[in-house]
């Protein structure tokens, strides 16, 4: 099972895309939503989700999250899984705001 967020070592995330996902998308997501609500315009949310999808795709194709289950890799795997879950939560939330149903499987 994945440990709680306060037990995860996010310092083990060293790939540039991991920090890009965190600082360019996860942290400013609430600000994007506030701006969309204030301006009554959703084009920034659409552009945000498109950029998030591009960055996430680049990350997913380059970085292997589930490597060999070596004990020294477990903290990195936990941090990456937590990051991916948060990215998926932003996608799901953003799509629902746009009245689109997120895919559960492909």
């Amino acid at each position: 099972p994945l440990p709680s967020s306060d037990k995860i070592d996010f310092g083990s995330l060293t790939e540039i895309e991991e920090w890009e996902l965190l600082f360019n998308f996860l942290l400013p997501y609430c600000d994007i939503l506030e701006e969309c609500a204030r301006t009554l315009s959703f084009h920034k949310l659409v552009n945000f989700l498109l950029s998030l999808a591009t960055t996430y795709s680049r990350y997913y194709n380059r970085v292997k999250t589930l490597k060999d289950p070596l004990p020294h890799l477990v903290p990195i795997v936990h941090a990456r899984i937590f990051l991916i879950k948060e990215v998926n939560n932003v996608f799901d939330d953003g799509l629902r705001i746009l009245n689109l149903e997120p895919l559960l499987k492909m």
Side-chain angles (χ1 to χ4, degrees):
L2 192 63
S4 61
S5 62
D6 60 329
K7 303 261 191 268
I8 293 179
D9 177 17
F10 292 104
S12 63
L13 298 176
T14 58
E15 301 295 332
I16 191 161
E17 291 93 348
E18 293 166 337
W19 293 103
E20 191 176 350
L21 287 167
L22 180 64
F23 286 108
N24 293 348
F25 298 102
L26 296 182
L27 293 177
Y29 179 60
C30 289
D31 295 333
I32 294 290
L33 293 182
E34 287 176 11
E35 185 175 344
C36 289
R38 188 177 66 253
T39 62
L40 299 177
S41 176
F42 290 99
H43 73 279
K44 286 201 175 196
L45 178 59
V46 172
N47 290 336
F48 176 87
L49 292 174
L50 178 61
S51 295
L52 175 59
T54 301
T55 303
Y56 180 65
S57 177
R58 188 174 68 241
Y59 170 70
Y60 187 82
N61 286 321
R62 197 176 72 73
V63 177
K64 304 305 174 215
T65 301
L66 299 176
K67 296 181 179 185
D68 296 327
L70 302 173
H72 71 282
L73 295 178
V74 170
I76 296 169
V77 170
H78 284 164
R80 287 181 175 162
I81 290 172
F82 190 86
L83 176 71
I84 290 168
K85 284 178 70 170
E86 290 303 311
V87 167
N88 286 335
N89 288 340
V90 168
F91 274 126
D92 290 352
D93 188 60
L95 290 172
R96 285 193 181 101
I97 288 170
L98 297 170
N99 204 28
L100 299 170
E101 195 61 36
L103 294 175
L104 298 177
K105 285 193 228 183
M106 287 191 78

